[in-house]
Amino acid sequence: MNYDFLSPTQIVFGWGRRSELGKLAAKLGSRVFLVSGSRTLERIGVIEQVAAGLDQCGVKSERFAAASREPEVADVDLLVTEFLKRELTERDVVVAIGGGSTIDLAKAAAAVVRNRQGSSVADFLEGVGRGMQITQPPLNVIAVPTTSGTGTEVTKNAVISSYQPAFKKSLRSDLMIPRIVLVDPELTVSLPCETTAYTGMDAITQLIESYISRRAAPIPQALALSGLKLAIPALPAVVRDGSSRENREAMSQAALLSGLALANSGLGLAHGVAAALGSHCRVPHGLACAVMLPTALRVNMSVRERELAEMERLFDNSHSNDMESAKAFVSRIDGVCRDVGIPPRLREIGVTIDQLPALVSGSRGNSLSGNPRDVSDQELLEILQQMW
Ligand SMILES: [Zn+2]
């Protein structure tokens, strides 16, 4: 067996530890581009507090607002243009505070601004770009997630959307893993319950898909099991009561583990289709993953019965064989989806029946290539028709 395992240089985890951001930034540079996406954190003064903390450590900061949507090509290009108006040096640090969208935007801009052979981030995107590569190290990035979901704070890619033409593709390079990740679960307490549910289901989908991926490897698999053990009980509880410190910490931990796992194992069918649901039907990423997850598990059951059974045994050891355990695990996931308010049908999330063929072609990408078994276009169309 051969494998590589990549992760950020430093992971700082803990309730309230955003107070250490100034010290961490001062290790990497003297000026910070603070990219923030959360209006709520802005309103309750957290961003102000963070900027003051940087100031106290002798780090100048400039603020850039991220739009509250999944980043589009034009958003990245605009931020790159803004960065380029400053005289950039090695001592500039990008601090991204927000959900996965904000962190992806910041990671992409930090990379493109240092790799100017392309005119737009679109030139670098997998499958649709001009095949340009990130060869120069990006500006140093410190990622501070404010949701417990995407895990993008520890991954080597940034997902960028386009609607005309419709695609959702990655900018990817080993160089793009943020240098420092600061996970302060207290930042997630103000999340509305719908966002908590969607982002949490994204983390669960990432943990499971990386565990059964055809590129699965021992370290990410160990991380995925630890994450699932935390997330499966914590998510329904935290959707009911968002103020629970214990459950918020569990979800932040699980999301972090899901990012480390997916960055080193890849994903599968649910994420493949979720990309198409995002670009063709504008379904939020976490919701799209959640709707697809139970079906993706049933589709892969025949080739991953043992792994699904292993995941079930984290919670219940009483089934008589792998087949029973694997089925029980899928029912368990159905139950979590129901508990946190995920509708089971595509038509309930705004998909029209005539969009299904476009969803099939839009699903072919890096995620689907990790799915444990091949799924033909015809089979995928039938799967989506049944789910509609
Ligand atoms: Zn995801």
Side-chain angles (χ1 to χ4, degrees), residues 2-337:
N2 294 314
Y3 62 83
D4 290 14
F5 186 83
L6 293 170
S7 80
T9 321
Q10 186 178 2
I11 296 175
V12 179
F13 186 97
W15 196 265
R17 291 191 73 184
R18 62 184 178 283
S19 60
E20 296 171 39
L21 185 64
K23 230 168 31 191
L24 294 167
K27 284 207 304 194
L28 297 182
S30 51
R31 178 170 62 170
V32 155
F33 299 150
L34 188 57
V35 182
S36 111
S38 166
R39 304 291 164 268
T40 312
L41 293 181
E42 193 86 48
R43 206 182 53 238
I44 62 179
V46 168
I47 304 299
E48 197 62 50
Q49 194 187 53
V50 161
L54 290 166
D55 202 46
Q56 271 162 24
C57 294
V59 180
K60 288 197 294 282
S61 66
E62 264 189 82
R63 285 195 236 172
F64 300 84
S68 49
R69 54 164 185 260
E70 293 174 16
E72 298 171 23
V73 169
D75 297 326
V76 179
D77 291 345
L78 184 68
L79 190 54
V80 169
T81 309
E82 284 302 317
F83 286 172
L84 285 173
K85 287 180 188 162
R86 282 89 189 152
E87 207 166 306
L88 298 180
T89 74
E90 299 296 316
R91 306 275 299 152
D92 289 323
V93 182
V94 177
V95 172
I97 303 188
S101 300
T102 300
I103 296 174
D104 273 354
L105 171 69
K107 279 164 72 180
V112 173
V113 81
R114 282 296 195 199
N115 289 266
R116 292 292 294 153
Q117 73 275 35
S119 58
S120 162
V121 66
D123 296 333
F124 297 86
L125 296 178
E126 281 176 355
V128 291
R130 289 159 60 200
M132 288 184 173
Q133 302 292 325
I134 301 298
T135 53
Q136 300 304 311
L139 294 177
N140 282 321
V141 173
I142 301 180
V144 186
T146 58
T147 62
S148 307
T150 65
T152 186
E153 64 274 12
V154 293
T155 69
K156 57 189 166 193
N157 65 312
V159 181
I160 309 299
S161 301
S162 159
Y163 299 100
Q164 253 173 351
F167 61 75
K168 207 166 169 176
K169 294 286 177 187
S170 275
L171 174 68
R172 193 184 307 269
S173 160
D174 288 357
L175 299 168
M176 284 174 58
I177 297 183
R179 278 288 297 278
I180 299 179
V181 175
L182 174 65
V183 184
D184 177 352
E186 195 179 11
L187 290 173
T188 67
V189 168
S190 57
L191 281 182
C193 86
E194 195 174 72
T195 314
T196 301
Y198 294 172
T199 52
M201 282 308 301
D202 184 21
I204 288 177
T205 308
Q206 288 165 180
L207 291 163
I208 298 174
E209 290 204 299
S210 65
Y211 191 74
I212 65 173
S213 156
R214 69 173 76 191
R215 298 194 286 269
I219 300 174
Q221 280 197 318
L223 300 178
L225 290 183
S226 314
L228 269 179
K229 213 172 167 173
L230 292 167
I232 298 258
L235 183 62
V238 86
V239 168
R240 277 193 303 274
D241 171 16
S243 66
S244 154
R245 172 168 172 171
E246 190 189 345
N247 288 323
R248 287 291 185 191
E249 282 181 337
M251 285 312 300
S252 289
Q253 188 80 256
L256 177 66
L257 293 168
S258 81
L260 291 167
L262 86 90
N264 291 284
S265 306
L267 294 162
L269 179 68
H271 269 82
V273 178
L277 286 168
S279 57
H280 289 277
C281 314
R282 302 213 181 205
V283 181
H285 176 72
L287 174 61
C289 288
V291 171
M292 290 308 301
L293 180 60
T295 299
L297 299 184
R298 290 189 175 91
V299 167
N300 288 308
M301 174 91 82
S302 61
V303 294
R304 287 294 185 271
E305 192 176 272
R306 183 168 52 90
E307 287 77 5
L308 295 176
E310 281 161 359
M311 290 187 274
E312 175 60 15
R313 285 197 286 270
L314 295 171
F315 308 99
D316 182 355
N317 220 342
S318 70
H319 304 285
S320 50
N321 56 46
D322 277 359
M323 199 213 289
E324 293 303 315
S325 294
K327 281 187 186 156
F329 185 66
V330 181
S331 307
R332 183 179 297 280
I333 297 302
D334 281 330
V336 175
C337 287

